[in-house]
Structure formats: C-alpha cells, structure tokens
Amino acid sequence: MFLVLGFFLYELLFVTSFFLLRLTVSGQAPMRTPTPNSITMNNNTPFYSSNSFKRNRFSSKSDFFDSLPDDLLISILSKLASSASSPSDFIKALITCKRFNNLGRHSLVLSKASQRTLAISAKNWSESAHRFLKQCVDAGNVEACYILGMIRFYCLQNRGSGASLMAKAAISCHAPALYSLSVIQFNGSGGSKNDKDLRAGVALCARAAFLGHIDALRELGHCLQDGYGVCQNIMEGRRFLVQANARELAAVLSSSTTAASRSWVTCNPHAHHRTAVGSSSECPLLSDFGCNVPAPEAHPASRFMAEWFALRGGAPGPGLRLCSHVGCGRPETRRHEFRRCSVCGIVNYCSRACQALDWKLQHKAECAPLEMWPENDGDGGEADGDGEILNENDEEDVIGES
C-alpha cells in the first residue's frame, strides 16, 4: 500500500515539474487563483471587493449587440431611412457605432431613404453631401435621382448629367421628374429658344398629370385652354383645372387630422376675393368655392434651389431671373427664358402652373398695370420671355379654377 502511494506521489511531482518547465520555456509565469484580498493598489487599498470580482468573471463575454444578425439591423436602418424627419436624424444613427455606420451604407438601406431623409440644406452642401446623394442614386433610390438631377441641372449647371438623372427617375414613373422635364421642354432650358419642344412638354405633362401630380394637372389645363402645344379644348382644360383644385384639397384633408383640417379649411361662400392675401399663411386655391387651404409644401429640390440662389445674392447669373413663385426655385438658364406678367411686367414664371399658384397666393393683391414696362437690361415687351407674355387679363376669367 505504501509502495502504491509513493508511486502516485512520484507521478504527481513529475507532472507538476513538467508543467512548470513548459511555462518557463514559453516565458509565462505560473498562474494562481487570486483572492479578493490579495490584489491591492499602490495606496494599499483593495482594488476590488468580492462582488466586483464576480462581475469581472463575466466581463470577457461578448456584447449581445454583436450577436444580432446583420439582416435584422439592415431592416431596422431601412425603416429609419424611410421614416426619418430630416437627414440629421439618419446621420446621428449612423455615427452611433462603427457597425451602424457600415450597415447604414448598405444599398438596401439607401434605396429606402425618403424625401425628408434626402432633404439636404443648401447651406450644408458639401462634397460628402453630394457623395451621399450619389450613393443613394447608385442604390436605386428614385427620389435621390430627381433631387440630385435638379441640383446638378440648375445649381451646378451640369445640364447633361442632371437631365439624365431626372430622366432615370421619370422612367420609374416619378411624377415630379416627369413634370420638371416637361418644364424644361416648354422653356428649352439649358439650350436656345429653338430647343423648345412643346409637344414633348405636353406629353410629359400629361403623363405626370395621369400619375396625380397637381402642378402638371394645372399646366395641362392651361395648355388645353390656350392651345399651347396641343389642340385647343377650353372645356377639357377647365375640367383639368378644377380637378387640380380638388386633388389639392383632398391632399390637405388626407394628410391632417380632422381637427386640424377643420381649422385649415374655412368656408365662406360670399367671399370670392380676399384682401391681404400675401399676409396670410393660407392660399385661397378654392376661393371661388369659398374655401381656403394651406399653400402646398415645397419639394426638397425646390427648397434647395431657392436657398442656393438666396445665399448667392438672389440671382442665378448676370441678366438671369428666378421664377417669382416662392415655392418653385427654378432659375433661368438663358436670358428672357421665362415669361412675365402682361399687366405689371415685374414678375416672371417658369410655367403657367407657377403663375396660377402665385396669382392666388400673393400676386393678385400686388399686381398693378403700368403704362410702360421697365426696360432694364433690354427687357422690352416684345423680347421678354422669348416673345411670350403671360396675360393676366385672360387669366382673370378662369383664375378661380386654376
């Protein structure tokens, strides 16, 4: 029995010596289990208590966030991109951690970015903002195609690339892109007067109107009334103008609560004409029917252009003008491209739709006839707007339906 016990102790000593020898060769000191009172700081105070020692045992475990699958995080970020109220809300989420930053640039996330997420301010425009919009375009985001196309065409004066991006959005049945391309065709923007294509403008405008674009409905109604680029049909034109007003009212009612709608839309069948229209936040788009609705919210591309040129003195270039409708922001690409009011000769518009909106929003209260138009920079009555003049007197009989 003593012989067996001695042999066992000899084997235990041999194994222990072999283990210590391996640690010595590998350069590591033998480990021993610390006790709560064995580790102290330099001031001889305990470094941790027994409870903190137990917590440290689990500190080496991985975070639960790291175990979440990428597909789940991409789905969450896609929902955020489609519902964010501003670009900063989306960017703040991306800079939370490195993993969010990497997954937030996934093509599926960028393709879901909404209009508000892409509403970059002109004062914050930079190369990184341009790159962000370009990444959204590459991801197949149609809204980004339109916004970046408008910025390149009108602000950066890259006509070919801007028109190409807008055409890409139009192919995907993006109504604002179709309407913007129709305005370019009507005015011959980016080219000369001979580059106007009225039939192409009417065709693009009709397609946008079919998709429910309100400004396109108004423009098409005026084209039919005036026989501009299409055979004249006054009754059909009036029908489109009334339909545009009805859609505008329906959009306001559907985008607000019942209480808010009741406070926004007021009815006064005896008030066909209102004074101090410009001082009110409401736009009497249905004034003939005694209803007021708020002015429509401008598209982020229009807000960007208006702010872009406001930061640069309010003029797109020497002798060039901006559309007088505050919600538009389109500039002239050549002198006398836009048509102006035939009564006062002061305001000018890129389209009849912008004229109709601005007339009811503010110009009706400001317009006054002049015996002689100002001839600044050769703005003669015959040459202005490439020889085309908007007649407010002709507009007066249908202004309630525009």
Side-chain angles (χ1 to χ4, degrees):
M1 178 177 179
F2 290 101
L3 182 61
V4 175
L5 182 60
F7 180 76
F8 175 76
L9 293 174
Y10 175 76
E11 289 289 333
L12 180 62
L13 180 62
F14 177 78
V15 172
T16 304
S17 301
F18 180 75
F19 177 71
L20 292 175
L21 181 62
R22 288 191 60 185
L23 290 177
T24 304
V25 173
S26 62
Q28 299 180 3
M31 298 177 62
R32 63 189 181 93
T33 303
T35 59
N37 297 325
S38 62
I39 301 178
T40 58
M41 299 179 66
N42 294 332
N43 56 359
N44 295 326
T45 58
F47 182 71
Y48 58 87
S49 63
S50 58
N51 292 332
S52 64
F53 174 72
K54 293 179 181 179
R55 287 196 298 267
N56 289 337
R57 291 172 56 189
F58 300 96
S59 62
S60 61
K61 290 187 178 181
S62 60
D63 193 352
F64 289 111
F65 177 74
D66 296 333
S67 63
L68 293 176
D70 289 348
D71 292 344
L72 178 60
L73 296 180
I74 289 176
S75 177
I76 295 173
L77 290 173
S78 298
K79 183 66 175 177
L80 174 64
S82 63
S83 60
S85 59
S86 65
S88 60
D89 290 345
F90 182 66
I91 298 301
K92 288 176 182 177
L94 296 188
I95 63 176
T96 302
C97 65
K98 185 176 181 180
R99 192 178 181 194
F100 269 3
N101 191 19
N102 293 332
L103 295 178
R105 289 178 288 180
H106 193 275
S107 59
L108 185 60
V109 176
L110 297 179
S111 66
K112 300 295 184 181
S114 65
Q115 211 180 85
R116 295 180 181 274
T117 306
L118 301 172
I120 298 174
S121 176
K123 64 181 180 181
N124 297 328
W125 181 254
S126 61
E127 186 59 34
S128 60
H130 195 172
R131 186 167 53 251
F132 170 70
L133 288 177
K134 184 64 171 62
Q135 290 174 348
C136 293
V137 169
D138 295 337
N141 191 306
V142 179
E143 194 68 43
C145 288
Y146 172 65
I147 293 176
L148 185 57
M150 292 285 283
I151 292 174
R152 286 185 177 180
F153 188 89
Y154 288 109
C155 300
L156 305 182
Q157 298 183 7
N158 190 344
R159 314 293 187 196
S161 176
S164 177
L165 287 173
M166 283 189 278
K168 183 178 180 181
I171 292 174
S172 301
C173 296
H174 189 267
L178 286 164
Y179 175 69
S180 293
L181 289 174
S182 72
V183 173
I184 291 174
Q185 294 295 330
F186 282 135
N187 297 324
S189 301
S192 64
K193 177 182 178 180
N194 297 328
D195 292 324
K196 292 182 179 182
D197 193 340
L198 302 185
R199 289 194 174 187
V202 170
L204 290 166
C205 196
R207 179 59 179 166
F210 176 77
L211 295 173
H213 195 270
I214 298 174
D215 287 342
L217 280 169
R218 285 199 178 94
E219 189 71 26
L220 186 60
H222 286 297
C223 288
L224 287 168
Q225 278 193 330
D226 302 337
Y228 190 71
V230 67
C231 295
Q232 188 176 22
N233 191 332
I234 297 178
M235 294 303 297
E236 191 71 9
R238 288 176 179 270
R239 186 177 69 84
F240 276 111
L241 293 175
V242 173
Q243 185 178 358
N245 286 337
R247 283 182 177 269
E248 188 113 44
L249 180 60
V252 172
L253 295 177
S254 63
S255 63
S256 58
T257 61
T258 305
S261 301
R262 197 174 293 116
S263 63
W264 286 351
V265 182
T266 60
C267 183
N268 186 4
H270 300 290
H272 290 272
H273 302 283
R274 288 173 171 78
T275 58
V277 177
S279 63
S280 174
S281 62
E282 295 179 344
C283 176
L285 297 175
L286 298 177
S287 56
D288 279 4
F289 306 105
C291 295
N292 276 355
V293 296
E297 182 181 1
H299 192 277
S302 298
R303 293 200 303 268
F304 183 95
M305 292 189 298
E307 184 179 356
W308 176 275
F309 293 111
L311 293 173
R312 286 155 179 78
L320 302 180
R321 305 164 297 183
L322 292 172
C323 179
S324 297
H325 176 41
V326 293
C328 178
R330 287 183 179 86
E332 289 183 321
T333 60
R334 67 177 185 278
R335 295 185 62 180
H336 311 310
E337 177 182 340
F338 293 164
R339 295 167 290 177
R340 65 179 176 180
C341 174
S342 64
V343 178
C344 64
I346 298 175
V347 296
N348 45 268
Y349 304 101
C350 66
S351 62
R352 292 296 299 268
C354 282
Q355 181 205 15
L357 281 173
D358 190 61
W359 173 257
K360 293 186 174 184
L361 183 63
Q362 59 183 6
H363 189 55
K364 188 175 183 178
E366 300 171 352
C367 186
L370 296 180
E371 296 181 0
M372 182 179 297
W373 286 351
E375 297 183 357
N376 297 331
D377 298 329
D379 264 3
E382 296 180 355
D384 193 29
D386 293 332
E388 299 175 53
I389 300 172
L390 295 173
N391 194 340
E392 292 288 4
N393 294 327
D394 294 341
E395 177 73 9
E396 191 64 26
D397 61 340
V398 295
I399 197 66
E401 297 175 352
S402 54

